[in-house]
Amino acid sequence: MISTWRLIASTIVLSGLALADTCSILKEISNIEVTDPLDLSYLSEQSDYWSTSCSALKPSCIIFPKDADEVSAIVKVLNNNTENFAIKSGGHNPNNGWSSVQGGPLISTQNMKQVILDSETGVARVGPGQRLDSISAALQGTGWTFVGGRIGNTGVGGLVLGGGLSYMSAQYGWAASSVLEYEIVLANGTIATASATQNADLFKALKGGGNNFGIVTTYVLQTYRQGNIFGGNLVFLRTPDTDAKLLKAVRDFTEYNEDDKAAVIVTAERGNIDLIDTWILFLFYDGEVVPEATFKNFTDVGPLLDTTKVQTYADLMAGSNWVIVKGSVVQIGTETIPMPSAEDSEKVMGGIHDHWRNITDTTLLELGIVASIAYQPFPKRIAEAAKERSPDLIDADDSANRLILELNYSFVPQSDYDKMDQTLQQTYGGIRDRVLGWQQDGTLPDIYLPIFMNYGFHQQDYFARLRPENRAFAHSVSESVDPTGFFRTRIGGWKP
Ligand SMILES: Cc1cc2nc3c(=O)[nH]c(=O)nc-3n(C[C@H](O)[C@H](O)[C@H](O)COP(=O)(O)OP(=O)(O)OC[C@H]3O[C@@H](n4cnc5c(N)ncnc54)[C@H](O)[C@@H]3O)c2cc1C
């Protein structure tokens, strides 16, 4: 430890250098890798965001700690100044200033990439620098796999802290539900463990609490036995008839599918003056043989293209990265809706989809535009499977089925950020207004509708949509582990 941050604990040195910038101090008193704006590793890390609006923010330096001791040293230096900073794992969160920062230091987790599997128990220690595809590749051939997201390039760091919706969520809950332990660096630089038996409040708060409580340096994950899987995409040309059939099919799947191994994401995309106007479906089955009726409502609609096949999970992850459009500004927002009854499916699902099409009509001349909406079943089983494993802030109940909607806009001109910000707000705001109206007139049940952190736009207030007791709980854990408000005031993201 001493070798990596010589003398850092010395109050004499720190008081002498207090208020000096973090980058200079670390270079002077430690061996931690600190890179400057002209260094190749700075440039490469800086360009590696999903949204170019995040790449446009320029950190004063990028720091690449290799373990918890080095992260602790960095946090102690940060405690002696007032710089804003950011923590980055995969860089997939497109909200500006959350894993990106203008002018202050960026802590990249890229050098913390361990995947250490106990092949007897399936318990894996995973570093926050990992991505879903690289973890799958590391586990390939072991017979074990982990509960992650659906697109390989996403970072494990942010995905798991936001809960994490997986193809396997009906079996095992959120990605966070399978975290057995977190190694975390707290606001004062202490390296702590959070698990069901150590710091249990912090353990719960980290499940759906984002970057508010510390810097996670290791995720200890329960992985699960797995062989080959079935997965891939169906692509449909959009017509009003396809809209109606696929919207009904995803509603029906949410209500009637009883096979926890099956999952779907149903997405619609538009772009470039309607040269793109398609539906793309992601199908997944955790096994080689899919019971015949499972996806019939979707396949019967008649896809133009079908890439589904039996493959390894690692191959599915590696093959999923085509969805990532590079070189665009990306904005993402979300809403959670109650699943409508079969009778009200057309009114609710159709009404929401018409709203989405009406708003996206106004965007089709935007340079490089791709607008998408993803309908993601959130059946009772996910809530049950999460509760069977461990408590989390989302605290979903199994009284009703829900759908999570993910709303994306990608476009090229940075200067249009504010204009598209308004458009995204109108998109999810219009959905929310409709849902509230349908709840009032009895079309939809009046149930708890948390928004899903990983798809939230910075203007949405994640914590305000949690159950009040969980919001208060998150706030009190934050105050207890971070009494000075270090993370609450110095980094981007929603605050409890
Ligand atoms: C193409 C694509 C597909 C997606 N698919 C899914 C999906 O299937 N399921 C799902 O749940 N989500 C999905 N998401 C959303 C994704 O989970 C979030 O964007 C998530 O925040 C990305 O994590 P990251 O590590 O890549 O992002 P980053 O931008 O690096 O980090 C996101 C947030 O987490 C914080 N953070 C990261 N690492 C740490 C750490 N070690 N300690 C403390 N804070 C940290 C950052 O400060 C930031 O606030 C998808 C996103 C994209 C772009």
Side-chain angles (χ1 to χ4, degrees), residues 223-289:
T223 67
Y224 301 95
R225 289 280 181 199
Q226 194 182 52
N228 283 341
I229 54 91
F230 168 91
N233 299 109
L234 303 181
V235 181
F236 302 79
L237 279 186
R238 183 267 165 178
T239 64
D241 184 53
T242 331
D243 287 354
K245 287 180 174 155
L246 291 175
L247 290 167
K248 180 171 183 321
V250 68
R251 192 223 74 90
D252 288 353
F253 183 89
T254 310
E255 178 163 15
Y256 300 127
N257 174 57
E258 288 185 346
D259 188 339
D260 293 346
K261 294 183 173 179
V264 294
I265 311 177
V266 174
T267 75
E269 287 75 26
R270 303 181 75 186
N272 305 128
I273 329 169
D274 257 346
L275 284 176
I276 303 170
D277 200 358
T278 54
W279 285 91
I280 302 177
L281 274 52
F282 295 73
L283 304 189
F284 177 86
Y285 191 80
D286 192 0
E288 293 191 3
V289 184

Side-chain angles (χ1 to χ4, degrees), residues 50 87 89-93 98-99 150 155 158-159 164-165 211 216 454:
W50 189 33
I87 308 151
S89 171
H92 266 237
N93 192 301
W98 291 31
S99 58
R150 281 70 61 94
L159 181 129
L165 186 56
N211 61 4
V216 177
N454 284 348

Side-chain angles (χ1 to χ4, degrees), residues 87-375:
I87 308 151
K88 179 187 176 205
S89 171
H92 266 237
N93 192 301
N95 287 313
N96 298 336
W98 291 31
S99 58
S100 50
V101 61
Q102 177 65 42
L106 173 66
I107 303 171
S108 164
T109 56
Q110 286 315 300
N111 285 350
M112 294 187 280
K113 274 205 159 85
Q114 70 275 17
V115 178
I116 303 163
L117 174 73
D118 179 332
S119 52
E120 293 293 309
T121 60
V123 173
R125 298 181 69 82
V126 173
Q130 281 289 352
R131 293 173 189 257
L132 309 184
D133 50 7
S134 52
I135 302 172
S136 306
L139 295 178
Q140 171 69 4
T142 64
W144 297 95
T145 198
F146 75 110
V147 181
R150 281 70 61 94
I151 305 301
N153 194 248
T154 314
V156 69
L159 181 129
V160 174
L161 288 169
L165 186 56
S166 170
Y167 285 131
M168 290 178 275
S169 284
Q171 295 183 84
Y172 309 117
W174 310 113
S177 310
S178 290
V179 181
L180 302 174
E181 190 178 300
Y182 301 83
E183 178 189 69
I184 183 167
V185 176
L186 302 176
N188 62 4
T190 306
I191 302 170
T193 298
S195 69
T197 52
Q198 287 182 74
N199 299 308
D201 282 355
L202 178 59
F203 185 57
K204 173 178 167 181
L206 283 166
K207 299 192 176 204
N211 61 4
N212 283 294
F213 306 98
I215 303 177
V216 177
T217 46
T218 302
Y219 297 85
V220 181
L221 305 176
Q222 180 62 60
T223 67
Y224 301 95
R225 289 280 181 199
Q226 194 182 52
N228 283 341
I229 54 91
F230 168 91
N233 299 109
L234 303 181
V235 181
F236 302 79
L237 279 186
R238 183 267 165 178
T239 64
D241 184 53
T242 331
D243 287 354
K245 287 180 174 155
L246 291 175
L247 290 167
K248 180 171 183 321
V250 68
R251 192 223 74 90
D252 288 353
F253 183 89
T254 310
E255 178 163 15
Y256 300 127
N257 174 57
E258 288 185 346
D259 188 339
D260 293 346
K261 294 183 173 179
V264 294
I265 311 177
V266 174
T267 75
E269 287 75 26
R270 303 181 75 186
N272 305 128
I273 329 169
D274 257 346
L275 284 176
I276 303 170
D277 200 358
T278 54
W279 285 91
I280 302 177
L281 274 52
F282 295 73
L283 304 189
F284 177 86
Y285 191 80
D286 192 0
E288 293 191 3
V289 184
V290 187
E292 206 182 317
T294 311
F295 299 124
K296 193 168 182 309
N297 286 349
F298 301 106
T299 50
D300 276 358
V301 181
L304 191 69
L305 184 72
D306 180 350
T307 69
T308 55
K309 61 179 180 194
V310 172
Q311 53 189 309
T312 64
Y313 189 71
D315 284 345
L316 181 80
M317 282 292 112
S320 63
N321 288 326
W322 62 266
V323 303
I324 297 158
V325 182
K326 289 275 180 188
S328 293
V329 181
V330 185
Q331 291 177 336
I332 182 169
T334 187
E335 260 308 330
T336 305
I337 65 167
M339 183 199 71
S341 65
E343 301 75 60
D344 287 320
S345 179
E346 206 179 315
K347 177 175 170 186
V348 172
M349 302 295 286
I352 287 174
H353 202 68
D354 286 349
H355 161 69
W356 177 76
R357 287 195 68 87
N358 289 339
I359 297 266
T360 52
D361 274 345
T362 66
T363 68
L364 296 180
L365 292 177
E366 182 71 23
L367 188 65
I369 185 74
V370 179
S372 70
I373 183 167
Y375 296 90

